[in-house]
Amino acid sequence: MMSDQDLVLDAIEEAQRLLAEYVAPGPRRNPDETINMLLFLLDRSDVVAAVNRLRSGSGLRVAK
């Protein structure tokens, strides 16, 4: 099972990849499709739950 941090980081990295493809030179990209893909990726219930746990402090541990 992935940690909350890994799940959120994977989602962010994938979102960054999608945005990089959108702004890259080349064939014109469809903004509606890009937004729909970002929503699908970032609004997944597991990602939202992981963000909420991290924000509340239950999934975030500070290393000393």
Side-chain angles (χ1 to χ4, degrees):
M1 181 172 184
M2 289 182 82
S3 71
D4 287 342
Q5 293 95 332
D6 288 336
L7 185 62
V8 171
L9 287 173
D10 283 354
I12 290 170
E13 288 173 345
E14 182 67 13
Q16 289 174 325
R17 186 190 64 75
L18 289 170
L19 290 171
E21 286 178 4
Y22 179 76
V23 298
R28 188 155 192 105
R29 306 310 195 279
N30 181 331
D32 290 334
E33 181 179 320
T34 301
I35 288 182
N36 285 333
M37 291 170 69
L38 288 169
L39 282 171
F40 175 77
L41 176 65
L42 297 173
D43 200 33
R44 290 184 358 221
S45 60
D46 58 340
V47 173
V48 171
V51 168
N52 288 336
R53 284 190 298 271
L54 289 169
R55 192 166 283 242
S56 73
S58 63
L60 183 61
R61 302 288 180 252
V62 176
K64 292 186 178 186

